[in-house]
Amino acid sequence: MPVSPDFSIGIDFGTSNTVVAIADPEGNVEALTFEHGGERLKVYVTALCFWDERHGNGLRTEVEGGPWAIEQFLEGLHAHRFIQSFKTFAASATFKETRIFRERYAFEDLLSAFLRTLAEHGGSRLDWGAGNVVIGRPVQFAGYNPDDDLAMRRYRAAFGRLGAEQARYVYEPVGAAFFYARQLDHDATVLVADFGGGTSDFSVMRFSKAGGALRAEPLGHAGIGLAGDAFDYRIVDKVVSPRLGKGGLYRSMDKILTIPNHYYANFARWNQLAMMKGSGDLKELRELARVALEPEPLEKFIDIIEYDLGFALYRAVSSAKVALSNQEETDFRFQGEGVDIQAKITRAEFETWIAEDVDRIAQTVDEALAKSGVKPGEIERVFLTGGTSFVPAIRRLFVDRFGETRLTSADQFESIAYGLALIGQSEAPERWAVTN
């Protein structure tokens, strides 16, 4: 699709992956692609890798994003910091900054650095100053006691640095709804369920067609800062952390105490794990290992942080979660730098671990219906998007409420960005913008 002044851009900045879509006035839409390793990728991994390189007589910090960040990290030729799932910090008032080598980075700095790498690899087709830039945002941001206003100030600051000061911000499930609505041939009330890495968002929309034009009316929205990463947390907490000293003891003066759990709580969250090497946690864990009654598990914990094995752990956990969506049990395996963790996980165990999370998600679905004034029987279609929608316990939640025949799904990565770009081409895109 050629670049023209009347095209629109939809940006789905996700916890795990980011997708950019471009739409023209005729409703044609496609994803921006990235050439990497001989492949054309539509998904840009939401990750950053910072490293030091010598230039002349001094050091300069370099940065890469997406698949290039992973490539740089895996090559491991320089001292580096690898950061993933940083979107989860957007609404956190307690996250002020992180130190990366000689510089301090606030959330806005991390996001703008990431966006610059995306723009560099996306080429000239990504025009941040275009008149119709539509950026997705969760209904509710992730994290404990999230501050949505703070998150939006940070978003606007970061995107504004690249020239997108006039961008509109739209709820992510509304974007997914516009994508799905293209296949409707009649009036319908639709529940859109968008499962990301950090948030689960729900919108009830009424779509109608008159004279060939699609009209949409939002009836209600609800969201919760809990999704796929929370399910990963349960696997790490139940399978990995107990083998790394969780629940272990250490000697302090004449007392025997339990190793504080907050180290393991941080470890089991991908965004926090990415920061542990640059915080005081690593130093404190080394001190605990010296007085631990069983130091070896703690030493392995330290090795995972010190040798930046968080991404390898992320892949192992994600693989296990995907496997449990397709089979009744799987063999979990994580290896690296002398750490070797093996365990069999059954789907029944996993569903027990995530039961409380699923209940909270179910309550949020009910909240969206209540806000819209629509009963489950009045929902004609349920559109599911996002990888977590394939988790059997999540799918059962919707089957039990709406029935199997009303459920439909689409590409787990691209639907939101496509819909956001289409909103940019709609009759009144400003009516969908969230103002806070």
Side-chain angles (χ1 to χ4, degrees):
M1 188 186 301
V3 175
S4 64
D6 52 1
F7 76 120
S8 60
I9 298 174
I11 303 170
D12 177 21
F13 165 57
T15 303
S16 304
N17 298 286
T18 294
V19 179
V20 178
I22 301 172
D24 66 19
E26 284 70 48
N28 301 306
V29 60
E30 63 182 29
L32 187 69
T33 58
F34 305 89
E35 299 282 349
H36 178 265
E39 294 184 78
R40 293 174 63 87
L41 305 176
K42 295 181 178 180
V43 173
Y44 196 81
V45 178
T46 307
L48 285 164
C49 186
F50 296 85
W51 72 96
D52 262 350
E53 274 195 13
R54 185 164 295 281
H55 292 266
N57 295 323
L59 292 174
R60 187 172 72 193
T61 300
E62 306 285 352
V63 60
E64 263 296 3
W68 288 270
I70 295 173
E71 181 180 61
Q72 183 67 37
F73 164 70
L74 294 176
E75 285 179 357
L77 300 178
H78 309 277
H80 58 259
R81 281 284 306 281
F82 183 78
I83 295 175
Q84 63 186 103
S85 295
F86 65 91
K87 179 182 176 181
T88 310
F89 290 120
S92 173
T94 60
F95 180 78
K96 306 294 185 183
E97 60 184 25
T98 185
R99 181 178 287 277
I100 299 175
F101 303 122
R102 295 158 300 282
E103 300 179 45
R104 298 179 184 275
Y105 285 76
F107 176 83
E108 299 92 317
D109 301 320
L110 294 174
L111 178 51
S112 58
F114 173 76
L115 294 173
R116 286 191 184 98
T117 72
L118 187 149
E120 177 184 344
H121 294 295
S124 59
R125 300 186 67 198
L126 182 50
D127 179 6
W128 298 101
N132 284 329
V133 176
V134 183
I135 300 166
R137 58 148 291 181
V139 175
Q140 179 175 311
F141 281 87
Y144 173 74
N145 194 26
D147 185 336
D148 283 16
D149 289 339
L150 173 63
M152 290 311 301
R153 288 197 300 273
R154 288 170 164 175
Y155 266 44
R156 288 190 170 93
F159 280 97
R161 291 179 189 178
L162 280 85
E165 295 93 343
Q166 304 304 315
R168 298 183 178 94
Y169 293 85
V170 173
Y171 287 139
E172 290 161 356
V174 173
F178 267 78
F179 171 81
Y180 170 69
R182 294 197 306 171
Q183 58 187 272
L184 288 174
D185 57 7
H186 62 282
D187 297 355
T189 302
V190 178
L191 169 66
V192 179
D194 167 34
F195 295 96
T199 60
S200 298
D201 296 309
F202 309 98
S203 288
V204 180
M205 305 280 292
R206 177 65 182 171
F207 289 101
S208 58
K209 283 196 172 182
L214 177 70
R215 296 189 176 183
E217 178 186 1
L219 303 180
H221 310 286
I224 185 170
L226 184 158
D229 284 1
F231 294 177
D232 292 352
Y233 176 99
R234 304 301 177 188
I235 294 174
V236 176
D237 188 58
K238 297 293 185 180
V239 177
V240 181
S241 292
R243 292 163 170 82
L244 301 176
K246 182 184 177 185
L249 304 174
Y250 72 99
R251 189 181 303 277
S252 176
M253 307 293 286
D254 57 347
K255 297 180 180 179
I256 302 297
L257 304 174
T258 302
I259 296 169
N261 190 59
H262 71 83
Y263 298 111
Y264 297 96
N266 288 344
F267 175 70
R269 295 181 173 92
W270 303 128
N271 60 314
Q272 296 285 358
L273 173 56
M275 300 296 171
M276 289 184 79
K277 190 174 182 179
S279 69
D281 287 348
L282 191 55
K283 179 182 177 182
E284 292 168 11
L285 286 168
R286 289 194 180 107
E287 293 171 354
L288 282 169
R290 286 196 289 271
V291 293
L293 272 57
E294 295 184 42
E296 186 177 349
L298 264 182
E299 289 166 354
K300 291 180 179 179
F301 186 9
I302 291 166
D303 286 344
I304 290 176
I305 299 170
E306 189 164 25
Y307 292 109
D308 296 301
L309 301 182
F311 181 67
L313 177 62
Y314 167 82
R315 291 203 291 192
V317 170
S318 295
S319 294
K321 185 175 64 176
V322 170
L324 290 171
S325 292
N326 301 300
Q327 56 201 52
E328 293 298 324
E329 64 178 38
T330 188
D331 291 317
F332 175 84
R333 183 75 182 271
F334 168 69
Q335 285 181 300
E337 297 294 338
V339 180
D340 189 350
I341 298 174
Q342 303 178 53
K344 187 177 293 294
I345 306 174
T346 67
R347 183 187 291 175
E349 287 176 321
F350 178 59
E351 292 188 348
T352 299
W353 301 340
I354 66 172
E356 183 178 336
D357 300 327
V358 174
D359 285 345
R360 291 176 64 197
I361 289 171
Q363 291 167 16
T364 310
V365 174
D366 294 339
E367 180 186 346
L369 293 173
K371 286 181 175 179
S372 67
V374 174
K375 297 178 181 178
E378 297 172 321
I379 297 290
E380 184 171 338
R381 301 295 285 175
V382 179
F383 178 57
L384 304 172
T385 185
T388 302
S389 65
F390 295 104
V391 173
I394 290 294
R395 189 167 183 88
R396 281 200 305 274
L397 185 165
F398 290 94
V399 170
D400 291 346
R401 278 169 170 71
F402 305 102
E404 184 76 49
T405 59
R406 281 189 274 173
L407 305 190
T408 187
S409 59
D411 186 280
Q412 59 178 296
F413 294 124
E414 297 168 27
S415 57
I416 294 173
Y418 277 45
L420 294 171
L422 290 170
I423 287 173
Q425 295 293 348
S426 64
E427 185 176 341
E430 65 278 358
R431 73 178 291 238
W432 302 104
V434 182
T435 56
N436 67 330

